Amino acid sequence: MKNPNLFVVSGGPGSGKTTVLNELARLGFPHVPEVARQIIQQRVKAGGTSLPWGDREAYTRLMLQRSIQSYRDHTPASRPLFSDRGIPDTLAYARMIGLRETAFIEQASWCFRYARLVFLAPAWEEIYRTDQERRQSFAEAKQTFELMAEVYGECGYEIVELPEVAPTARAQFILDKLHLRAASHSGPLKK
């Protein structure tokens, strides 16, 4: 499956990607919310163990399943739509935790295709903060970014690194790269 109007915005934790996605939404370009954070919030509330600090293999499988479902729910996209992370993020996470069996994730990463350009937010120490769902150190965030860039490159995507500038400037950088102009007010898509 190909979805050339679904653009991934990703990066390590705490790199400002969700903030720039909210800015893009304010400019009229909606986005698909991150499934990983939704899973963590739901599992913590339900007392589940499929968490990055619990059963990481189960968490990875659930993240892949939800990422594929999100992709299908938003394909085809008739106009530019942004995705807070993509299926290859699951592959990067699986490699990061040393999951042995990743062939099924690799297959999904090649089967469900996003737009060719992928925007990655680098680890940015000045804005990095931890919270209830984000427990990684800054060093881990930096390592995550490097692994994601490697994985997206291996999956045949062209990486565009976001500059370390204010969210409005980052959003404009993305729109300029895609030759898009700000539209009307919008917001994240709810599913």
Side-chain angles (χ1 to χ4, degrees):
M1 294 182 80
K2 291 184 180 181
N3 194 342
N5 273 332
L6 185 57
F7 294 89
V8 172
V9 177
S10 194
S15 58
K17 63 177 182 45
T18 303
T19 303
V20 78
L21 284 164
N22 288 334
E23 181 62 24
L24 286 165
R26 190 185 70 74
L27 295 172
F29 296 95
H31 69 273
V32 179
E34 178 183 2
V35 299
R37 191 170 275 260
Q38 291 173 349
I39 292 167
I40 292 170
Q41 291 169 349
Q42 291 167 352
R43 294 295 163 200
V44 166
K45 187 176 180 180
T49 60
S50 302
L51 294 160
W53 51 88
D55 185 343
R56 298 190 303 177
E57 185 172 344
Y59 171 73
T60 304
R61 290 182 183 281
L62 188 54
M63 189 166 51
L64 178 63
Q65 176 188 18
R66 295 264 185 96
S67 295
I68 291 170
Q69 188 59 53
S70 177
Y71 178 95
R72 286 184 169 151
D73 288 347
H74 299 97
T75 298
S78 59
R79 63 186 187 106
L81 175 63
F82 294 94
S83 181
D84 192 338
R85 301 200 179 279
I87 294 167
D89 282 64
T90 307
L91 180 57
Y93 178 75
R95 287 184 183 174
M96 192 169 58
I97 65 169
L99 193 64
R100 289 187 185 142
E101 180 53 48
T102 61
F104 66 103
I105 306 171
E106 291 169 20
Q107 182 180 7
S109 295
W110 281 97
C111 184
F112 301 98
R113 305 299 293 172
Y114 298 89
R116 181 180 55 84
L117 292 181
V118 170
F119 297 92
L120 293 183
W124 186 1
E125 195 164 16
E126 293 163 356
I127 67 168
Y128 186 77
R129 302 288 180 271
T130 58
D131 61 27
Q132 291 288 57
E133 292 94 31
R134 182 187 306 127
R135 299 180 177 186
Q136 301 92 336
S137 69
F138 179 74
E140 290 171 313
K142 191 173 180 179
Q143 179 185 18
T144 301
F145 167 78
E146 291 165 1
L147 185 56
M148 290 180 133
E150 180 181 307
V151 166
Y152 273 99
E154 286 176 14
C155 290
Y157 291 101
E158 183 180 332
I159 309 302
V160 178
E161 188 173 320
L162 295 180
E164 292 179 356
V165 294
T168 53
R170 274 185 161 182
Q172 191 59 54
F173 174 83
I174 291 170
L175 295 178
D176 289 347
K177 282 286 183 192
L178 300 176
H179 307 288
L180 296 172
R181 295 176 57 139
S184 62
H185 294 287
S186 187
L189 295 178
K190 305 292 184 202
K191 275 287 169 186

